Amino acid sequence: QVQLVQSGGGLVQPGGSLRLSCAASGTIFSINDMGWYRQAAGKERELVATITSGGSTNYADSVKGRFTISRDNAKNTVYLQMNTLKPEDTAVYYCNADVKDWLLYEAVYWGQGTQVTVSS
C-alpha cells in the first residue's frame, strides 16, 4: 500500500509565507503527477497546483505568482511554497499523487490534509 503524509500547515499573517510538504511511502514503483488541492469551509475542493514527474507545473489563476510547487523525486516528496498569503487562502490543503505500485497497479492517493489559516 501507499501512504502520503503531510506537514507544514499552521497560522500566518496576511502577506506571510508557509511551506507545505507531502512525502509518499510504501510499495512504490513510480510516481507520475503530484498535486495540491484545498477546501475552504463550506466550499468545494479546488485544484491549487500540479507537477509532472519531469517537473512541468500548472497553477490555479488565484495562486499564480504567489505559490510554487516543486518535487524531490529521490525522496518521493512534493512541496508547496506559499508566499504573499491572503485570507482567502485559508483552507485545508491536501496533496495527491498518481502512483504505480510494485504490482504496477496505478491509483491516485491523498494525504490526510493540513489546515492553513491566514489571519491578522
Side-chain angles (χ1 to χ4, degrees):
Q1 67 277 7
V2 175
Q3 304 82 223
L4 273 62
V5 179
Q6 300 178 216
S7 62
L11 298 168
V12 66
Q13 294 182 337
S17 298
L18 284 174
R19 190 179 79 153
L20 306 182
S21 299
C22 174
S25 62
T27 56
I28 297 170
F29 178 79
S30 63
I31 302 177
N32 194 13
D33 293 352
M34 305 182 82
W36 291 94
Y37 288 71
R38 67 187 182 187
Q39 187 167 23
K43 297 184 178 180
E44 296 183 353
R45 188 173 300 186
E46 65 175 352
L47 176 69
V48 175
T50 60
I51 185 167
T52 69
S53 60
S56 297
T57 59
N58 184 55
Y59 298 92
D61 288 342
S62 59
V63 306
K64 286 181 180 177
R66 300 188 298 120
F67 290 12
T68 302
I69 188 171
S70 61
R71 64 192 287 169
D72 184 336
N73 290 333
K75 297 180 179 179
N76 290 330
T77 299
V78 63
Y79 306 94
L80 186 68
Q81 178 67 46
M82 303 183 293
N83 298 326
T84 319
L85 282 161
K86 304 175 180 179
E88 50 262 47
D89 295 318
T90 296
V92 177
Y93 284 70
Y94 299 89
C95 61
N96 76 353
D98 181 6
V99 178
K100 189 176 294 182
D101 69 12
W102 290 350
L103 296 178
L104 304 185
Y105 172 76
E106 187 171 352
V108 175
Y109 296 85
W110 291 87
Q112 80 277 16
T114 186
Q115 178 71 43
V116 172
T117 301
V118 184
S119 177
S120 60

